[in-house]
Amino acid sequence: QVQLVQSGAEVKKPGSSVKVSCTASGGSIGSHMVNWVRQAPGQGLEWMGRIIPLFGTVNYAQKFQGRVTITADESTTTVYMEMSSLRFEDTAVYYCARERSVVIAFDIWGQGTMVTVSS
Amino acid sequence: DIQMTQSPSSLSASVGDRVTITCQASQDIRNSLHWYQQKPGKAPNLLICDATNLETGVPPRFSGSGSGTEFTFTISSLQPEDIATYYCQQSDNLPFTFGPGTKVDIK
């Protein structure tokens, strides 16, 4: 069974960038869309974007277009989400989630990465 | 963007009670509606996909119904382990959007 393992917590200054990784273990995610979803403290879930690692095709929520870059490595086992120009309100848990092939639902999630933006 | 609303925002019920959560989409999303359970400090967990299909291993006390713009999520007999926040999510159109969540606890 595929598991998604994310990189550890980050503390960043406003205006800086952060790069979070999501690595598949126990299988491949190359042909699946991998999505990024964030959750601010005490708040709901917000979809950010997705990539299909095998082809590099990416979609972004308009809110994050230009500030978020989602990439995958050549082995297609690791997906990255990089966010630039960090603001205090970007403090959140960032999740990666695999999108099932036929039904567009998120069936496997990473454990989450806490990103704290603080001066 | 498709707006998703959920009601109620929170509820308190007794063990064994039937619990119902509704989710409304701002436009027709056919059956492209999924339900997730999130426990504190944990990632969401997919319970129901395409409005009515129970995920493997999910107890049958959970069910979903609806299509178009109106959807319902039901727990037929609330158990202590069901304490969580439940989210609906549409995948008919990008950007994918989630409902604001319904927090369920035990009375």
Side-chain angles (χ1 to χ4, degrees):
Chain A
Q1 171 72 328
V2 174
Q3 289 186 302
L4 299 179
V5 181
Q6 298 183 222
S7 49
E10 303 264 12
V11 179
K12 294 292 183 180
K13 298 242 186 260
S16 66
S17 298
V18 68
K19 192 170 186 176
V20 180
S21 67
C22 170
T23 300
S25 66
S28 172
I29 53 169
S31 61
H32 290 267
M33 281 286 190
V34 176
N35 293 257
W36 287 91
V37 175
R38 77 175 183 179
Q39 186 171 38
Q43 302 302 308
L45 301 167
E46 182 175 30
W47 183 79
M48 301 175 66
R50 65 178 184 172
I51 187 169
I52 181 163
L54 196 60
F55 305 113
T57 307
V58 185
N59 304 112
Y60 296 105
Q62 188 169 6
K63 174 178 179 176
F64 299 103
Q65 191 92 36
R67 205 162 67 92
V68 167
T69 304
I70 299 173
T71 55
D73 69 12
E74 287 186 0
S75 69
T76 70
T77 59
T78 300
V79 171
Y80 303 91
M81 187 285 298
E82 184 169 21
M83 180 178 283
S84 61
S85 303
L86 287 168
R87 309 159 185 159
F88 295 118
E89 54 266 34
D90 294 320
T91 294
V93 177
Y94 290 77
Y95 294 102
C96 61
R98 189 188 80 164
E99 186 177 309
R100 184 172 287 164
S101 295
V102 177
V103 173
I104 307 176
F106 305 155
D107 62 346
I108 300 173
W109 293 68
Q111 82 276 20
T113 297
M114 182 71 211
V115 175
T116 302
V117 183
S118 173
S119 55
Chain B
D1 297 2
I2 297 175
Q3 307 302 315
M4 306 300 294
T5 56
Q6 279 182 245
S7 61
S9 56
S10 66
L11 66 90
S12 187
S14 300
V15 172
D17 280 356
R18 183 181 185 87
V19 167
T20 299
I21 298 168
T22 61
C23 176
Q24 185 170 32
S26 60
Q27 65 188 66
D28 187 345
I29 58 170
R30 302 176 294 171
N31 69 335
S32 303
L33 189 283
H34 320 296
W35 291 96
Y36 299 85
Q37 176 192 65
Q38 186 179 34
K39 296 185 177 181
K42 299 293 186 183
N45 180 45
L46 178 65
L47 297 183
I48 291 171
C49 66
D50 281 353
T52 61
N53 298 323
L54 201 65
E55 284 292 288
T56 302
V58 174
R61 64 180 180 272
F62 296 100
S63 65
S65 64
S67 68
T69 61
E70 302 281 342
F71 301 87
T72 300
F73 173 83
T74 301
I75 307 173
S76 60
S77 177
L78 186 67
Q79 299 302 304
E81 60 266 32
D82 301 336
I83 300 313
T85 300
Y86 294 85
Y87 294 93
C88 60
Q89 177 239 332
Q90 68 82 19
S91 62
D92 194 62
N93 278 351
L94 289 175
F96 300 145
T97 45
F98 292 87
T102 296
K103 188 173 183 181
V104 174
D105 64 23
I106 298 287
K107 193 182 294 182

